[in-house]
Amino acid sequence: MSAPRSIRRLSVLIPVYNEVRTIGEVLRRVRAVELPYERELVVVDDGSTDGTREYLQEEAAHSRDLILILHPVNRGKGAAIRSALQAATGDVLIVQDADLEYDPRDYPQLLRPIVEGRSQVVYGSRFLGEHKAMYFWHWVGNRFLTFVANVLYDTTLTDMETGYKVFTAEVARQLRLRSDRWGFDPEITAQILKRGYRIYEVPISYNGREYWEGKKITWRDGLTVLATLVRYRLFD
């Protein structure tokens, strides 16, 4: 256990792709969370074509806390996170999806292990907290991929694929992320664990979307995750 950590600024990294229905509410919820330190919202529009980009440009023009990065074409969540990491200036960084599946009211409990010096990396587990029931095969896929990560990297995570990943700037500076799309979650997890950091998990609430609401992940993305886990264990 390390010494308690003082946070001056929190960077919220928000990758966005075609989320015009939800992005405004996500920004409102992030800003509404009561925290005792400054925050910056690093938003990366990843080639949206549904009006999200125009909304964010208008928002950025009138917001002092929002850093907006525009990708000319869709490159994927991993690429958006890389762009956000380059622009972030916070002492601690948290990944926030642009839909409404994850609740920013969980920020205090996600940050507590870092503030108290218990860890430099925290994951929010959907399986430890209250949550809307997932699709069965999504649940199976999540469990299987997390199990593979545990076997390959000698850990005991319950939710490797969670959207809530929190880490210090020190950890962020050591990341060498390359995956553009759904390989982001296993890639960042593998790099964190291979550098000797232990991941602290806390329960979070989860309100999973339906496909008709815009959920994007499919079984093919699971194959990418599996291949990334194995590649980083054996070759990287």
Side-chain angles (χ1 to χ4, degrees):
M1 185 171 180
S2 57
R5 181 176 297 271
S6 175
I7 300 177
R8 182 177 60 88
R9 177 180 299 142
L10 173 69
S11 294
V12 183
L13 315 182
I14 310 177
V16 187
Y17 176 59
N18 286 348
E19 300 286 4
V20 71
R21 295 189 305 108
T22 58
I23 184 59
E25 179 63 13
V26 168
L27 296 178
R28 187 196 69 78
R29 293 185 186 186
V30 170
R31 288 169 170 145
V33 179
E34 294 188 10
L35 296 171
Y37 25 78
E38 180 185 345
R39 78 198 75 178
E40 63 180 12
L41 283 60
V42 186
V43 182
V44 181
D45 181 82
D46 191 32
S48 293
T49 58
D50 68 340
T52 300
R53 173 168 300 219
E54 291 74 18
Y55 174 86
L56 288 170
Q57 288 174 315
E58 180 69 18
E59 179 72 20
H62 300 90
S63 303
R64 300 183 63 181
D65 62 349
L66 194 151
I67 300 169
L68 178 60
I69 300 167
L70 304 175
H71 285 179
V73 296
N74 179 251
R75 295 167 52 196
K77 181 176 180 179
I81 293 295
R82 286 202 306 276
S83 294
L85 286 170
Q86 291 173 3
T89 64
D91 309 292
V92 175
L93 304 88
I94 181 168
V95 177
Q96 170 71 56
D97 286 351
D99 51 36
L100 296 175
E101 292 189 331
Y102 294 88
D103 192 341
R105 288 179 295 183
D106 287 327
Y107 284 7
Q109 64 199 50
L110 285 162
L111 293 164
R112 190 173 299 118
I114 292 177
V115 172
E116 295 177 354
R118 285 181 274 164
S119 181
Q120 291 199 57
V121 184
V122 179
Y123 280 15
S125 174
R126 294 166 291 178
F127 302 110
L128 297 178
E130 64 178 45
H131 59 273
K132 179 181 177 180
M134 298 180 180
Y135 290 107
F136 174 75
W137 290 112
H138 280 183
W139 179 85
V140 169
N142 272 289
R143 291 302 215 186
F144 172 72
L145 293 170
T146 298
F147 172 76
V148 172
N150 288 337
V151 171
L152 292 176
Y153 297 93
D154 189 24
T155 188
T156 55
L157 295 172
T158 65
D159 192 5
M160 184 266 295
E161 288 283 284
T162 178
Y164 268 160
K165 293 177 168 65
V166 190
F167 40 91
T168 64
E170 176 185 326
V171 172
R173 285 192 291 269
Q174 298 179 55
L175 298 174
R176 299 294 180 267
L177 303 175
R178 301 194 297 271
S179 295
D180 282 346
R181 298 189 180 276
W182 294 107
F184 162 74
D185 289 307
E187 182 180 49
I188 191 173
T189 302
Q191 290 195 19
I192 286 168
L193 293 171
K194 289 187 76 171
R195 283 162 175 75
Y197 294 102
R198 284 293 174 181
I199 297 171
Y200 200 105
E201 284 191 304
V202 300
I204 57 168
S205 57
Y206 177 67
N207 182 33
R209 289 197 294 183
E210 310 294 339
Y211 281 108
W212 61 266
E213 294 177 295
K215 194 170 187 67
K216 301 178 178 72
I217 194 166
T218 70
W219 65 269
R220 295 180 183 84
D221 302 309
L223 298 179
T224 299
V225 172
L226 181 60
T228 303
L229 285 171
V230 174
R231 184 180 75 248
Y232 269 91
R233 178 70 278 174
L234 298 179
F235 305 112
D236 250 304

